[in-house]
Amino acid sequence: MNCREARDLLVALSNDEVTRSERVLTQAHLAGCPACQAEFEALAEVRRRLTGGLKMRGAAAAPSPRSWAAIQSRLGPRAAPARRWLIPASRLVSGALMAVALFAASSALNPLTGTRLVSELATATPERATVQPTITATPIMVMAPDADRIAPPDGDPRREMALDRAAAPGRNRSPLAAPIRPARREADRFDADDTMAGLDSAPAIEEKETPCNACSMLN
Amino acid sequence: MQSEVRVLIGRTLAGDQTAFAALYHQYKNLVYKTAWLLLGNSAEADDALQEVFLLVHRALATYQPERAAFSTWLYRITTNYCLSWRRRRRLTLLPLEWAGQTPDAAQRHHEERLEDTDTIFRCVQRLSGKKRAVVVLRYYWDLSYAEISTILDIPLGTVKSRLNEALRIMRDELGPLLSIEGAMLPDAGREVRS
């Protein structure tokens, strides 16, 4: 073992983190090399002082007594995750029935296809089922976000509607639509992306839609 | 210990906040002291404590006890958080609590020890984040190379080389200050910090 090989192992030797063969070889080299022996002693002394200094500093460090209260306030009331799955079957069934009823009602009221399709379906035979229904082209007004800038010409009744919508944009928003989320703060992105990176035992955090204060801070 | 922790984790996942409070009080010192030694000041360590436990609360369902001890998982989240925080902070400023700090202990011996501790602590703070993490985990928490390798998700050889480099840097910086003999060997070679 030469000096370079020995010096690569000096810190591990002082930390008792070498294999038996490495220990024997390194100690044999140190016995015959005063320079490496001096370096080993210097590194051992640094290790001793470093350990003492860190222990002394760390012993005095204590978290603020207010930290837990701060964490609690940021956690807020949180529903137990397991309870999310305890939706009664009756509510699921009634929800499914309501969805079917809403679909049927909206189809029946659709002036373009609804009445025709319902009547066709009612009288459909296996042979007719292969016939593709034809839909006549009808002008459709698309309410783009900048609809007020492309409003129909004067005299057109759709112009009034467009201007009304432009004047009150929130009115067109369905109450069932997803709430607008605030943009993620830079610090929050850092939390999710950097801190949890590489956690074998903790895969990436799943994005959840449930209203939870702790999660919303990370979204 | 591990079975007790598993029970607390299970109760926390079931919505029991008192179980999470018990986890917090059991592990707050691990997180706080690690953060304090890595970040170098108490305000940021308190912030880290809060952020880490909020992350833990959120990701608790993903923790796999069969793969790592809960403390290993916490060390990893804490070191990742602190190293990322320091990378973002960029500037390494000495905390205010160090400025003009003069130990007022009665005994000279104690004063010398405090001065030594300050010098050592400043030197640790000047190490790169990666080297500082292995130094804190090894010399404060007395973790083995294998445990440090798992926590930081780096090969065992990298743990060895980082500790080797860190101690040589400290030997060069602390040697003249702490009168460590043999610290400035002509062929020792000054390490370049990364």
Side-chain angles (χ1 to χ4, degrees), chain B residues 26-38:
Chain B
Q26 193 166 331
Y27 289 101
K28 66 181 177 186
N29 282 332
L30 181 154
V31 173
Y32 180 82
K33 287 174 189 281
T34 304
W36 193 82
L37 291 169
L38 289 176

Side-chain angles (χ1 to χ4, degrees), chain A residues 143-145 148 160-174:
Chain A
M143 298 308 293
D148 55 333
E160 296 301 317
M161 291 169 61
L163 292 175
D164 282 347
R165 282 168 185 259
R171 209 177 61 188
N172 295 324
R173 192 168 181 80
S174 163

Side-chain angles (χ1 to χ4, degrees), chain B residues 48-159:
Chain B
L49 176 67
Q50 292 179 31
E51 296 299 332
V52 166
F53 271 96
L54 287 168
L55 281 167
V56 165
H57 187 265
R58 189 182 164 197
L60 202 54
T62 67
Y63 166 63
Q64 298 170 9
E66 68 278 5
R67 297 192 69 170
F70 187 66
S71 57
T72 302
W73 195 62
L74 272 183
Y75 277 126
R76 183 179 281 195
I77 295 174
T78 307
T79 50
N80 279 353
Y81 178 89
C82 293
L83 296 186
S84 301
W85 177 253
R86 279 191 73 111
R87 273 199 299 272
R88 283 162 50 86
R89 193 174 57 177
R90 299 288 183 195
L91 290 173
T92 306
L93 301 172
L94 289 180
L96 283 175
E97 58 199 53
W98 293 356
Q101 188 179 48
T102 305
D104 55 356
Q107 296 179 353
R108 176 67 188 151
H109 175 67
H110 188 55
E111 284 178 7
E112 282 175 356
R113 283 207 62 191
L114 287 177
E115 285 168 8
D116 283 1
T117 306
D118 275 358
T119 307
I120 290 165
F121 196 57
R122 283 194 182 96
C123 192
V124 170
Q125 293 303 310
R126 283 197 294 271
L127 292 172
S128 71
K130 289 175 178 176
K131 290 189 184 79
R132 195 178 330 112
V134 291
V135 162
V136 167
L137 293 174
R138 173 67 198 184
Y139 296 118
Y140 183 74
W141 293 110
D142 298 320
L143 298 179
S144 69
Y145 282 21
E147 288 171 307
I148 296 170
S149 164
T150 305
I151 289 166
L152 298 178
D153 198 21
I154 54 176
L156 204 61
T158 308
V159 176

Side-chain angles (χ1 to χ4, degrees), chain A residues 2 4 31 104 110 113 122 125 140 164 166 187 203:
Chain A
N2 60 31
R4 174 180 283 273
N110 189 328
T113 60
T125 61
I140 298 173
D164 282 347

Side-chain angles (χ1 to χ4, degrees), chain B residues 153-169:
Chain B
D153 198 21
I154 54 176
L156 204 61
T158 308
V159 176
K160 280 186 184 178
S161 62
R162 283 184 189 169
L163 275 175
N164 218 14
E165 289 171 20
L167 253 70
R168 284 169 195 279
I169 289 167

Side-chain angles (χ1 to χ4, degrees), chain A residues 3 11 15 49 75 82 97-98 104 120 143 166 169 173 187 198-199 219:
Chain A
C3 288
V11 173
N15 286 333
R49 300 244 190 152
L75 286 175
L97 287 173
M98 188 174 288
E120 282 186 359
M143 298 308 293
R173 192 168 181 80
L199 286 173
N219 282 335

Side-chain angles (χ1 to χ4, degrees), chain A residues 1 7 14 19 53 59 81 90 107 110 132 151 168 175 178 184 202 207 209 214:
Chain A
M1 178 176 278
R7 289 183 182 191
S14 72
T19 63
S90 60
S107 297
N110 189 328
Q132 295 294 322
R184 283 172 68 186
E207 297 291 334
E209 293 301 325

